Amino acid sequence: MQQQVRGHVPALTGVLTAVSLALVFGAALGYVPATVVPEAPGWLVDAIPTVNAAISASAILTISLGWHWIRTGRVERHRVAMIVSTVLFVGFLGLYLYRLTLLGGPEPFPGPETVYRFVYLPLLGVHILLAVVCIPLLYYVLLLAATRSVRELRRTSHARVGRVAASLWLISFSLGIAVYALLHGVY
């Protein structure tokens, strides 16, 4: 299977991206009915944003460590850090989509209209845009890494695309924490 994937990394990246974005936007826009996911106690649903903020902070740490380790030539540590970062992202996304589906969409902003319009919406918009842009980049670098040896990987665009993906990923996770703080801490 690795050989089949190896020859079709761009196409598989496109398919995985389309499916992922369809799931995310379907849940965010309320198109996924709550009946497709199991019910959870209210306290658990209420805890998801806090858990996701902790996951985001952890991902910022693991992405930063992975970046540091690859720059210092510690390829195996880099690989582990990026796998952990991906698992954290998948966990974050799973919890986020679960909550969105149960609630029928995103929660309303509880603060003043001025803050909503000039602070919250721009932060949220950039966060969402970067998250959307990251998805195909992450699939691409992960598929390259999964189908090639370290020696072969050096002859691909993995490092170049990975630097862009990691930068945008770090900013997106940071803005996500800021959005969380506005929704659940400040207001």
Side-chain angles (χ1 to χ4, degrees), residues 80-111:
V80 169
M82 300 326 291
I83 289 170
V84 170
S85 299
T86 302
V87 169
L88 288 168
F89 177 64
V90 169
F92 170 93
L93 194 56
L95 289 170
Y96 178 73
L97 292 176
Y98 176 74
R99 187 166 191 270
L100 273 179
T101 301
L102 281 179
L103 299 178
E107 62 188 286
F109 181 71

Side-chain angles (χ1 to χ4, degrees), residues 100-161:
L100 273 179
T101 301
L102 281 179
L103 299 178
E107 62 188 286
F109 181 71
E113 179 65 24
T114 305
V115 173
Y116 173 73
R117 184 172 297 169
F118 297 109
V119 178
Y120 177 77
L121 281 181
L123 281 175
L124 182 63
V126 173
H127 166 66
I128 290 170
L129 176 66
L130 293 179
V132 167
V133 169
C134 279
I135 290 174
L137 300 176
L138 294 172
Y139 277 132
Y140 184 74
V141 295
L142 289 169
L143 289 168
L144 283 176
T147 59
R148 286 158 175 79
S149 68
V150 172
R151 173 183 250 163
E152 293 172 311
L153 206 52
R154 289 186 176 124
R155 293 188 301 263
T156 70
S157 56
H158 175 85
R160 184 173 40 85
V161 174

